[in-house]
Amino acid sequence: MSLKPFANKELKKIIRNFTPNWFTVNMGTGISFLTLFNIRADLFPGELLLGQVIWFVDIFFFVLFSFLFIYRMILFPDTIKPMLQHPVQSMFLGAIPMALVPVLEGFAIFGPSFLGEQAINIALFLWWIDVILAVGVGWLLPYLMSTTQEKHKLENMTAVWLLPIVASEVTASAGGVLAPYFSGETAKTIIIVSYVLWTFSVPLAFSILVILFLRLATHKLPHRAMATTSWLPLGPLGTGSLGMLLLGSATKATYIGIYISQISDFLASFGFITGLLLWGYGLWWYVMAWLFTIKYFNEGLPFNMGWWGFTFPVGVFTAATFQLWRVTDYTIFEILGLIFSFQLIIFWILVFTKTLKGMWSGYLFQAPCLSKETGLPKPLEDCNKVNN
């Protein structure tokens, strides 16, 4: 199929086929600028300026995608039910709150240079919105999976199941970033809510990883259209590790002079131990993901929106690695963090470029839930095919 200019595509057709997996663009782009912020300035002198530029780009795309997604639900309400009933596309609703996290963290990190202290309040406001979204999808999707969605079989299962679950712990890690910017009851509330959000996600994510390993052992690797899901387990493990490390430090600094201060030292130590253990588990999945990916590439791996799975999971695992370096001062964590950062930036440039090409031609605007066929994996393959 010949490429057609994006400008010539019918806008209503694009809106009708706009899917929540587009928010993975924000996830990958957002974690990229946050990773640049983690690199020492003496190693990368332009990291602050470049991070700010990418943050603005991320905000632009988040606003654009939010507008298109909301407009789709208003103009085409008949597409909402098929989207919610689709066993794969519905999972990407979890990408929406995760996409908002880098944006709000950017307001806390970069915002004061442009908006003053008001940027911190904006970050907190967006964080509470994110809490509602993360908890909402974290309850809604498992409920739909258990009641009305079909086609959920062990042989069809992939790590995509993690997406609505992981959203809560991503929000929890953002709470660990924001809490030090506040004091008093505000900081304490952020920390308590974040710990609860962490438990909403990580234990359930562990159970999904167990099922995923069973599925891989009994039914082998999924279809190549879902190849990048091999990287998704790094998401809950990297974010879970990062969340415990950040919340442990924030708790020790916030709870002083009251009862809970007696256990704040324990929570800081517990955060480090838990974070290190989750990081180690993530390292195992990191190597396995590379082995699976090399096998897929040898067999031929066409581009689809799932390629954004190469970015965000690696990014949060990188962030956890850098946080372990700050806590321990072990050079090995800094070296590994830099290696992971290099991988992330290379993947982001590659995927971002291909995505822009797909947006311009219009072939990426195809909603799996609107396919005439409803079985798996056929419509999944059809809706993710590309013309290189």
Side-chain angles (χ1 to χ4, degrees), residues 36 39-51:
L36 289 175
I39 299 175
R40 283 183 5 222
D42 59 328
L43 296 177
F44 187 6
E47 53 91 14
L48 181 59
L49 178 60
L50 183 57

Side-chain angles (χ1 to χ4, degrees), residues 4-7 9 355-363 365:
K4 297 180 180 180
F6 174 77
K9 296 290 292 185
T355 300
L356 288 180
K357 176 183 175 182
M359 290 176 67
W360 178 257
S361 66
Y363 67 71
F365 292 102

Side-chain angles (χ1 to χ4, degrees), residues 36 133 155 190 195 230 244:
L36 289 175
L133 292 174
E155 59 266 32
I190 292 173
Y195 271 117
S230 302
M244 291 305 292

Side-chain angles (χ1 to χ4, degrees), residues 307-380:
W307 276 39
W308 283 99
F310 284 133
T311 58
F312 188 79
V314 175
V316 293
F317 188 64
T318 303
T321 305
F322 276 125
Q323 190 63 25
L324 282 170
W325 166 56
R326 294 188 186 96
V327 172
T328 64
D329 201 30
Y330 287 168
T331 305
I332 183 61
F333 287 120
E334 183 184 19
I335 294 174
L336 288 173
L338 291 173
I339 293 174
F340 300 152
S341 298
F342 180 75
Q343 173 187 334
L344 171 62
I345 299 305
I346 294 298
F347 278 0
W348 179 80
I349 293 173
L350 173 66
V351 180
F352 190 78
T353 302
K354 286 181 173 290
T355 300
L356 288 180
K357 176 183 175 182
M359 290 176 67
W360 178 257
S361 66
Y363 67 71
L364 289 179
F365 292 102
Q366 300 183 50
C369 66
L370 303 181
S371 172
K372 292 182 180 180
E373 300 184 48
T374 57
L376 286 175
K378 183 66 166 62
L380 179 62

Side-chain angles (χ1 to χ4, degrees), residues 70-362:
I70 294 172
Y71 207 36
R72 171 190 172 176
M73 292 189 289
I74 294 174
L75 283 183
F76 306 103
D78 58 301
T79 66
I80 298 176
K81 184 176 179 180
M83 177 186 65
L84 292 176
Q85 295 302 314
H86 196 275
V88 176
Q89 186 187 354
S90 60
M91 301 298 153
F92 284 91
L93 289 172
I96 299 176
M98 288 190 283
L100 182 56
V101 165
V103 172
L104 69 88
E105 289 188 6
F107 273 99
I109 296 170
F110 304 125
S113 300
F114 304 97
L115 303 172
E117 291 303 313
Q118 185 61 29
I120 305 299
N121 294 326
I122 294 174
L124 180 60
F125 175 76
L126 293 176
W127 184 77
W128 280 113
I129 294 178
D130 205 71
V131 169
I132 296 171
L133 292 174
V135 171
V137 298
W139 272 324
L140 175 63
L141 269 301
Y143 173 78
L144 293 177
M145 292 174 69
S146 306
T147 55
T148 60
Q149 288 185 353
E150 300 179 355
K151 306 298 181 183
H152 284 301
K153 300 178 181 179
L154 184 61
E155 59 266 32
N156 293 334
M157 184 263 187
T158 68
V160 170
W161 282 16
L162 290 166
L163 290 175
I165 304 301
V166 174
S168 290
E169 66 181 86
V170 173
T171 307
S173 68
V177 172
L178 289 184
Y181 288 92
F182 298 91
S183 60
E185 292 302 317
T186 301
K188 296 171 185 175
T189 301
I190 292 173
I191 290 173
I192 293 297
V193 171
S194 295
Y195 271 117
V196 174
L197 289 172
W198 192 91
T199 57
F200 269 20
S201 176
V202 176
L204 186 55
F206 263 72
S207 65
I208 293 175
L209 290 178
V210 172
I211 300 172
L212 177 62
F213 186 82
L214 174 64
R215 179 253 181 273
L216 291 173
T218 56
H219 297 285
K220 310 310 174 189
L221 294 177
H223 187 273
R224 62 179 184 168
M226 303 295 287
T228 55
T229 60
S230 302
W231 292 89
L232 296 186
L234 278 179
L237 298 174
T239 313
S241 172
L242 179 64
M244 291 305 292
L245 290 166
L246 292 173
L247 289 173
S249 299
T251 302
K252 186 174 182 179
T254 300
Y255 286 93
I256 301 173
I258 57 176
Y259 169 74
I260 202 171
S261 66
Q262 299 175 22
I263 61 171
S264 62
D265 288 337
F266 164 76
L267 289 175
S269 299
F270 178 74
F272 166 68
I273 294 298
T274 306
L276 181 60
L277 294 176
L278 289 175
W279 183 88
Y281 189 10
L283 186 61
W284 184 88
W285 271 107
Y286 175 84
V287 174
M288 293 300 297
W290 261 120
L291 294 175
F292 293 154
T293 302
I294 292 171
K295 177 177 174 59
Y296 276 121
F297 271 117
N298 289 335
E299 297 173 355
L301 185 59
F303 176 74
N304 59 48
M305 287 298 291
W307 276 39
W308 283 99
F310 284 133
T311 58
F312 188 79
V314 175
V316 293
F317 188 64
T318 303
T321 305
F322 276 125
Q323 190 63 25
L324 282 170
W325 166 56
R326 294 188 186 96
V327 172
T328 64
D329 201 30
Y330 287 168
T331 305
I332 183 61
F333 287 120
E334 183 184 19
I335 294 174
L336 288 173
L338 291 173
I339 293 174
F340 300 152
S341 298
F342 180 75
Q343 173 187 334
L344 171 62
I345 299 305
I346 294 298
F347 278 0
W348 179 80
I349 293 173
L350 173 66
V351 180
F352 190 78
T353 302
K354 286 181 173 290
T355 300
L356 288 180
K357 176 183 175 182
M359 290 176 67
W360 178 257
S361 66

